[in-house]
Amino acid sequence: MKTKLLVTLTLVIFFNIRAQLINGKIFSNETKTPIPYARVGIEKNTFGVTSDEKGNFSIDLSNQDKNQNIRIEVGGYEPMIITFNNFISQNNKIFYLSEKIVDIEQVVLSPKKFIQKNWGINSKGKKIQFVYNPEKNKQSLSKELALPFETKKRAKIEKININIAYFESDQPVFVRYNVYDQNWNSIISEDLSILMNAQKIKDSEFSFDVSDKFIWVKGKFYVSFQILNSFKGEIALSGTVFKPAFYRENLANWEKTPTICPSLNIDVKVEK
């Protein structure tokens, strides 16, 4: 009897060690509220998951390299980097992210000093598309797309626009944007996210007003977007060819898209 009990106990311990399914939750350190749709995964790797709308996540690390670091990341917050073993051994599996502190430059924009411009891709065609269909391809939700921009003069981003060729969804779609410097470091001081639905798409364009976020850029920078929640239906973004664009899956390094570029553009105010 003792032998059977010992064998059973050994097997339970063995399988608990081998099956490293981690359930956790992500909160804001300042507000103590859940952070929705944060990325959790192995740093510089395609393996990872995204927390749900309540900050909950579940990640299976059973077959992953224990020498890697785990990274938790979301725009507007300082990323958390923790060793594999510390991540697994943490008792309550509750993780707090601190809001990013960025010097926000509030400048009165005089019409004489700044001019309005639109930069990026404005194609509204339907022949070239980026298609999101989570029921057929769950990987599409793990991909973040970005376009490069460059300005010699200081500019303030007012709106971020994406052109929609087709939209069918059973629920609002959670879209997150980010702005990176030339080294792919996020420069935003708060999460840039919004719910998209058919009613908010005007003339095949979905716009996000960020004029109150005081996002100033100069030199080379990138603007990205990602569709995060699962839905029934299909969304297609207009696109074009032979224009530079980048993508990454989960927390992997950024790579160039083969030849297709999504139709993303920004409204800015630029110094004269």
Side-chain angles (χ1 to χ4, degrees), residues 7 40 54 61 68 86-87 90-91 95 134 143 156 224 258:
V7 171
V40 184
K54 296 181 180 179
L61 298 171
Q68 302 283 348
N86 285 344
F87 182 80
Q90 184 158 326
N91 291 328
F95 302 90
K143 289 183 179 179
K156 178 175 177 282
S224 78

Side-chain angles (χ1 to χ4, degrees), residues 21 38 40 54 62-63 65 70 87-88 114 120 135 142 148 156 186 192 213 235 247-249 251:
L21 181 64
V40 184
K54 296 181 180 179
S62 302
N63 299 314
D65 183 357
I70 304 299
F87 182 80
I88 291 175
F114 290 83
E135 290 184 304
S142 67
K156 178 175 177 282
S186 176
L192 300 180
K213 311 300 182 186
I235 299 173
Y247 77 96
R248 68 168 175 166
E249 187 175 342
L251 295 168

Side-chain angles (χ1 to χ4, degrees), residues 81-100:
I81 302 173
I82 184 170
T83 65
F84 190 101
N85 289 330
N86 285 344
F87 182 80
I88 291 175
S89 61
Q90 184 158 326
N91 291 328
N92 54 14
K93 301 297 186 297
I94 294 177
F95 302 90
Y96 290 90
L97 299 186
S98 298
E99 293 178 359
K100 183 175 288 186

Side-chain angles (χ1 to χ4, degrees), residues 121-236:
I121 308 300
N122 285 283
S123 170
K124 292 185 178 180
K126 297 185 179 181
K127 291 184 178 180
I128 301 170
Q129 298 178 353
F130 282 82
V131 178
Y132 291 86
N133 189 324
E135 290 184 304
K136 293 182 179 179
N137 183 8
K138 290 184 179 181
Q139 277 190 327
S140 62
L141 296 179
S142 67
K143 289 183 179 179
E144 182 180 5
L145 294 167
L147 264 65
F149 297 87
E150 190 167 5
T151 175
K152 292 181 179 179
K153 296 183 178 181
R154 190 178 54 159
K156 178 175 177 282
I157 300 177
E158 297 285 295
K159 287 184 179 181
I160 305 174
N161 314 302
I162 51 177
N163 292 339
I164 308 296
Y166 180 79
F167 185 93
E168 183 182 354
S169 174
D170 65 331
Q171 60 181 298
V173 175
F174 194 92
V175 181
R176 173 170 284 142
Y177 300 87
N178 212 326
V179 183
Y180 299 95
D181 64 16
Q182 62 179 350
N183 297 315
W184 293 105
N185 298 310
S186 176
I187 63 171
I188 60 175
S189 60
E190 60 182 286
D191 182 25
L192 300 180
S193 57
I194 187 172
L195 288 173
M196 175 171 62
N197 57 35
Q199 289 71 36
K200 293 180 180 179
I201 300 170
K202 307 296 183 183
D203 190 26
S204 300
E205 182 180 78
F206 178 72
S207 294
F208 184 27
D209 188 341
V210 296
S211 58
D212 61 338
K213 311 300 182 186
F214 298 99
I215 306 171
W216 290 90
V217 291
K218 188 177 180 180
K220 190 173 183 178
F221 64 98
Y222 303 87
V223 178
S224 78
F225 73 93
Q226 184 181 11
I227 293 176
L228 290 166
N229 63 310
S230 186
F231 58 90
K232 291 183 179 180
E234 187 170 272
I235 299 173

